[in-house]
Amino acid sequence: MYRYVCKTMLRRLFLSKKVSYQARLFSGNFRYLEVLNNENNVAIVTMKRAPVNTLNSELLSEISSVLTNLDETKCSGMVLTSFSDKVFSSGLDFNEMYESRPATIRTLVSTILEVIIKLYGSPFPTVAVITGHAPSGGCVLSLCCEYRIMVQNFQIGLNVVKLGYSTPLSIVQLMVNTIGHRNAELALTSGRLFTTNEALRVGLIDEIAKDRASAFDKANDFLNQFKVIPPIARHFTKQSMRRALLQDVSINGKIYVEDFVSLISRPKVQELIAAYMANMKNKKKNSN
Ligand SMILES: CCCC/C=C/CC(=O)SCCNC(=O)CCNC(=O)[C@H](O)C(C)(C)COP(=O)(O)OP(=O)(O)OC[C@H]1O[C@@H](n2cnc3c(N)ncnc32)[C@H](O)[C@@H]1OP(=O)(O)O
């Protein structure tokens, strides 16, 4: 059923633009990802870790493998999206951060950094089709893409300070590069989550779509403009724009990981994570 829905969407995406369509499953078996591509070589990468695409090490390492694969096969574009019409991704998995061994937290954090480097530095154009809430790690994934299209009535942002740990420098830089220094400082120090409309106003997203299908149409329009741009020129220009952050993460990545592991392991942060998780469960209980 899920595959049928994806294929129907792709058909709409490509046929509507009078481009012949040939969806095929990308090579590789993924537990939490669906990867389809068309004969134009655009890959639709759909996160499908129910219920809310929580980013555990396994999902992140699948994303990392796909990015390597798309790079090797010289794909001409990528859309990152979610199977859910309510949540894009709920961020890093608390279960791998709460009462976890340092090695578990280390794997989680190094894998997201690996994804950040590959996605932010990808040679092909990337679009996030944000079909639902995108807090924290979900927001980070979308920030690594070149263009963000978000469906109405959801929230996006980096709320990590609310969990008692500081936002890592590379993530601060991602936010600054997107919404500017002043807006980033205000948002990050307060852990602000933006509504779709607010996110557009501040530049955190590029377009609003009324639903998933129209978000895909907009993604298609964004990607189509690059058909007339020589890929190598585009890639080098993107690299120049993104070099500083990529170099920083490559050089200091190990330090960031260790800092993050020791922050998360602090008793106070562990308490806050426990309280946050309990709060989510209570909200759910009360709404049922
Ligand atoms: C170098 C790294 C830099 C980046 C750092 C990132 C740090 C993080 O990403 S920490 C994670 C921060 N995430 C959040 O604060 C979001 C938490 N989740 C939510 O606010 C909500 O789940 C939602 C708004 C995304 C969706 O709400 P909805 O009502 O649809 O679903 P829920 O009932 O809340 O959730 C379903 C289910 O999933 C569990 N869950 C949600 N998020 C997480 C998570 N991040 N880790 C683990 N588990 C999570 C939630 O408890 C529910 O579980 P049960 O069904 O068992 O009750």
Side-chain angles (χ1 to χ4, degrees):
M1 177 63 188
Y2 174 70
R3 187 172 296 188
Y4 171 77
V5 172
C6 282
K7 285 194 172 178
T8 308
M9 300 260 298
L10 274 170
R11 206 165 277 127
R12 186 170 167 179
L13 174 62
F14 298 112
L15 277 185
S16 67
K17 302 292 170 189
K18 307 227 176 338
V19 176
S20 61
Y21 160 82
Q22 257 187 4
R24 65 179 165 81
L25 273 183
F26 202 78
S27 53
N29 283 323
F30 299 111
R31 184 168 171 204
Y32 296 131
L33 285 183
E34 178 91 82
V35 186
L36 297 170
N37 66 351
N38 78 329
E39 67 177 29
N40 280 349
N41 217 11
V42 170
I44 315 293
V45 179
T46 306
M47 295 178 282
K48 49 163 201 161
R49 184 172 184 230
V52 290
N53 282 333
T54 299
L55 302 170
N56 66 350
S57 304
E58 194 177 344
L59 169 55
L60 287 167
S61 70
E62 288 190 357
I63 297 174
S64 176
S65 303
V66 164
L67 288 165
T68 302
N69 219 326
L70 295 179
D71 192 357
E72 285 167 1
T73 54
K74 306 259 177 288
C75 92
S76 46
M78 168 185 161
V79 178
L80 180 64
T81 191
S82 162
F83 78 97
S84 162
D85 283 330
K86 206 174 155 200
V87 181
F88 176 71
S89 163
S90 72
L92 292 184
D93 194 338
F94 289 129
N95 299 310
E96 292 191 10
M97 296 192 282
Y98 180 63
E99 291 188 337
S100 297
R101 288 178 304 123
T104 307
I105 308 174
R106 189 171 293 117
T107 304
L108 180 69
V109 180
S110 21
T111 318
I112 193 167
L113 276 190
E114 190 178 294
V115 168
I116 290 170
I117 293 176
K118 289 185 188 175
L119 188 53
Y120 194 67
S122 71
F124 44 83
T126 51
V127 186
V129 165
I130 306 166
T131 54
H133 298 297
S136 271
C139 177
V140 169
L141 285 187
S142 78
L143 284 174
C144 291
C145 295
E146 283 164 53
Y147 204 70
R148 283 161 289 286
I149 300 156
M150 185 167 170
V151 174
Q152 275 286 9
N153 300 325
F154 296 109
Q155 290 193 320
I156 181 167
L158 283 163
N159 53 334
V160 293
V161 283
K162 291 190 172 148
L163 292 162
Y165 48 89
S166 56
T167 315
L169 188 61
S170 48
I171 309 300
V172 169
Q173 203 52 54
L174 262 182
M175 197 70 162
V176 168
N177 290 353
T178 312
I179 63 173
H181 198 282
R182 178 71 183 142
N183 285 327
E185 183 174 327
L186 289 173
L188 293 173
T189 50
S190 61
R192 177 167 176 187
L193 291 173
F194 295 85
T195 63
T196 307
N197 284 328
E198 290 167 344
L200 182 70
R201 271 201 295 277
V202 81
L204 188 54
I205 59 165
D206 299 289
E207 287 193 68
I208 296 181
K210 68 174 189 317
D211 55 23
R212 175 186 290 264
S214 92
F216 268 84
D217 284 342
K218 288 172 192 290
N220 194 32
D221 290 342
F222 175 76
L223 292 172
N224 271 342
Q225 70 183 307
F226 299 119
K227 281 185 176 166
V228 293
I229 308 286
I232 192 83
R234 210 199 84 84
H235 174 41
F236 283 157
T237 306
K238 176 172 170 180
Q239 284 288 313
S240 302
M241 298 294 302
R242 299 184 170 212
R243 183 172 297 128
L245 191 152
L246 290 167
Q247 273 178 353
D248 177 52
V249 180
S250 302
I251 294 166
N252 300 313
K254 285 206 171 103
I255 300 172
Y256 294 152
V257 171
E258 290 314 314
D259 283 353
F260 206 69
V261 172
S262 69
L263 263 178
I264 301 281
S265 309
R266 282 185 192 169
K268 184 69 201 161
V269 175
Q270 289 287 308
E271 263 173 42
L272 281 165
I273 294 177
Y276 200 88
M277 288 165 76
N279 193 30
M280 274 196 307
K281 303 256 177 237
N282 280 340
K283 259 197 212 155
K284 195 169 173 181
K285 219 189 291 164
N286 295 338
S287 70
N288 286 337

